[in-house]
Amino acid sequence: MALIIQKFGGTSVANPERINDVAERIARYHKSGHQIIAVVSAMSGETNKLIGLADEMMQNPDPRELDMVISTGEQITAGLTALSLIDKGIQAKSYTGHQLGITTDSSFGKARIMDIDTKILKKDLKQGFVVVVAGFQGLDKVGNITTLGRGGSDTTAVAIAAAIKADECQIYTDVDGIYTTDPRVVPEARKLNSITFEEMLEMASLGSKVLQTRSVECAGKFKVPIRVLSSFDIKGDGTVITFEEDKKMENPIISGIAFNRDEAEVSVRGVPDTPGVAYQILGPIADANIDVDMIIQNVGESGATDFTFTVHKRDLKETMDILNEKVKAKINAREIMGDSKVAKLSLVGVGMRTHAGIASKMFKVLSDEKININTISTSEIKISVILEEANLDNAVKALHKAFELEKG
Ligand code: ASP
Ligand code: MG
């Protein structure tokens, strides 16, 4: 007998038939002797619909009230899933995050889980109930309903798994696992049987949308074993997220190629090379709460530097305004450039730590394809480049082939 958390995403509970299918699956596991806590998302499209309703009431809705509204989607699917289970003869009880004692901080719309009280969960499991939990939500210390950010039900599931020391946290979604890259771009992309937690963290934060990044961070911190599976196929072992010390894992040099089209590139040209310049450029950007991703600085022969960084596309205009109005004259920069027609591509693999020449091979492949690289940055287990968005698909295809990711 194992204690299993099963999380079902929006497409898995999109309508009554699918909720019935989900309940069937939970019932099967339960009947074979496992204890199950199911965490559900809102029906797909529901959270967007609720945000739309809030927008109709007020421009930039008040964050506390917005969370009040958008937390309701999950409550509905939790109740419906429990009803379907009861109808199948399974004892089941559903709870909202607040009923269960999921305590968060007070950052509405992106709250962090501080504590989960496992008393109710343990009592119900002991009595043979399947517990169904509304994902994506909690309660702050003073009793406000909060939500955990888009995709936050993943984090609810992982956090519960950590708190109750579950044997496995299964994330059911509309794909059957984690792929070497997006199969819509590279049809030969291969499902991975396993991926290390660090690689998954990179893949998630670099744009692979299968898991919320914070859920992966949480899994890493508490060593929660996660398995990503399709809710539409009964067989299939999905992809297991392992920890590096696990000797059984497959260990290719490169595990995958992540990309995203959400970033824009900003360049501050001809900046005098003096101490404090980086701070003078990025300070006002940080003050405006704009996240900066890649940062590159280079000193040219003239002693002037070019300072380049990336921000989310939606923040490009504000970033340019800040630089033009508050920074340019102050630091005596020659010009400020912004480009939103770029994309970021990253090669990810723990094997990079021990294998030389990955970067040069990557750059050769791109050069053979006549694809220009604007910006490069690396970490121990990834190499990221910014290139023209129009070249992204070709670059992903060529690299996937060159690194033989389809072979495994
Ligand atoms: N329903 C929320 C969303 O659409 C949370 C989730 O599905 O994980 O983002
Ligand atoms: Mg999701």
Side-chain angles (χ1 to χ4, degrees):
M1 186 187 79
L3 170 51
I4 301 172
I5 312 297
Q6 298 188 318
K7 182 261 170 179
F8 297 94
T11 48
S12 311
V13 292
N15 54 45
E17 294 77 57
R18 294 214 180 142
I19 293 177
N20 268 319
D21 292 346
V22 159
E24 290 278 1
R25 183 187 294 268
I26 297 171
R28 261 198 319 277
Y29 270 88
H30 189 251
K31 281 182 187 149
S32 59
H34 301 304
Q35 292 183 314
I36 307 293
I37 299 171
V39 175
V40 290
S41 286
M43 295 179 184
S44 60
E46 186 64 21
T47 308
N48 286 343
K49 204 167 96 197
L50 293 167
I51 292 172
L53 286 172
D55 283 340
E56 280 189 47
M57 298 299 117
M58 177 185 177
Q59 234 186 7
N60 295 326
D62 175 84
R64 179 190 185 278
E65 302 312 323
L66 182 62
D67 275 1
M68 184 75 180
V69 174
I70 67 175
S71 62
T72 58
E74 273 72 9
Q75 181 172 346
I76 295 169
T77 41
L80 293 176
T81 307
L83 284 172
S84 180
L85 283 163
I86 294 168
D87 186 56
K88 292 174 179 43
I90 307 284
Q91 291 196 83
K93 266 190 200 176
S94 65
Y95 293 96
T96 61
H98 19 291
Q99 282 177 307
L100 260 194
I102 299 182
T103 307
T104 71
D105 64 18
S106 303
S107 321
F108 298 111
K110 50 173 191 278
R112 285 186 177 269
I113 296 178
M114 323 276 280
D115 186 46
I116 298 182
D117 185 351
T118 54
K119 264 202 296 302
I120 296 177
L121 289 170
K122 282 183 176 150
K123 184 165 142 273
D124 284 349
L125 288 174
K126 209 162 155 204
Q127 291 176 2
F129 283 91
V130 167
V131 185
V132 186
V133 181
F136 176 57
Q137 53 185 264
L139 202 65
D140 74 2
K141 286 222 172 70
V142 286
N144 298 304
I145 289 178
T146 55
T147 65
L148 311 181
R150 299 309 303 268
S153 299
D154 292 341
T155 299
T156 305
V158 174
I160 290 178
I164 201 155
K165 301 194 171 52
D167 296 295
E168 185 165 270
C169 181
Q170 301 177 343
I171 307 276
Y172 287 90
T173 175
D174 49 1
V175 292
D176 60 354
I178 309 293
Y179 276 70
T180 49
T181 196
D182 188 338
R184 283 169 300 192
V185 175
V186 183
E188 298 78 28
R190 182 176 52 88
K191 182 180 79 69
L192 298 162
N193 293 327
S194 69
I195 184 167
T196 71
F197 144 75
E198 279 177 294
E199 289 168 330
M200 191 61 228
L201 192 57
E202 293 284 8
M203 296 284 274
S205 59
L206 292 167
S208 154
K209 302 241 158 41
V210 181
L211 285 172
Q212 195 199 32
T213 308
R214 271 168 55 186
S215 71
V216 186
E217 284 167 7
C218 183
K221 190 160 160 200
F222 297 102
K223 296 265 190 301
V224 174
I226 296 187
R227 185 184 293 274
V228 177
L229 298 141
S230 161
S231 57
F232 301 108
D233 91 50
I234 308 274
K235 299 202 182 73
D237 293 330
T239 303
V240 184
I241 302 174
T242 60
F243 297 91
E244 238 181 307
E245 32 300 355
D246 185 347
K247 296 283 182 289
K248 289 190 303 293
M249 69 180 194
E250 44 185 321
N251 195 1
I253 300 170
I254 303 299
S255 285
I257 303 172
F259 54 82
N260 90 57
R261 298 179 166 92
D262 298 337
E263 286 186 36
E265 194 174 45
V266 180
S267 237
V268 184
R269 302 267 167 85
V271 184
D273 181 27
T274 50
V277 162
Y279 172 65
Q280 280 177 299
I281 294 171
L282 293 182
I285 308 289
D287 291 345
N289 239 329
I290 294 172
D291 278 333
V292 170
D293 182 27
M294 292 160 86
I295 304 172
I296 310 289
Q297 191 203 236
N298 189 18
V299 184
E301 267 174 38
S302 62
T305 93
D306 285 348
F307 193 95
T308 301
F309 59 95
T310 62
V311 294
H312 195 283
K313 279 190 175 137
R314 67 163 178 256
D315 294 326
L316 178 61
K317 189 179 173 301
E318 194 182 348
T319 303
M320 296 294 289
D321 289 348
I322 293 172
L323 292 175
N324 279 315
E325 285 157 26
K326 299 195 184 151
V327 178
K328 189 175 175 211
K330 206 153 123 198
I331 61 171
N332 202 13
R334 194 178 69 244
E335 64 178 335
I336 316 269
M337 313 270 286
D339 187 355
S340 64
K341 292 198 176 56
V342 295
K344 175 165 140 185
L345 178 158
S346 312
L347 219 50
V348 176
V350 288
M352 271 183 216
R353 280 199 187 117
T354 46
H355 288 78
I358 305 297
S360 74
K361 179 166 174 183
M362 177 182 190
F363 302 151
K364 172 159 195 320
V365 173
L366 295 175
S367 128
D368 288 348
E369 292 292 311
K370 312 234 168 341
I371 294 173
N372 188 47
I373 302 169
N374 298 3
T375 306
I376 302 167
S377 83
T378 63
S379 80
E380 263 195 311
I381 66 161
K382 73 150 195 256
I383 306 166
S384 299
V385 294
I386 297 281
L387 25 90
E388 238 178 79
E389 194 173 350
N391 288 330
L392 178 67
D393 285 14
N394 278 345
V396 177
K397 286 189 182 110
L399 289 164
H400 199 275
K401 189 144 182 243
F403 284 94
E404 303 187 330
L405 297 186
E406 74 287 353
K407 290 196 182 144

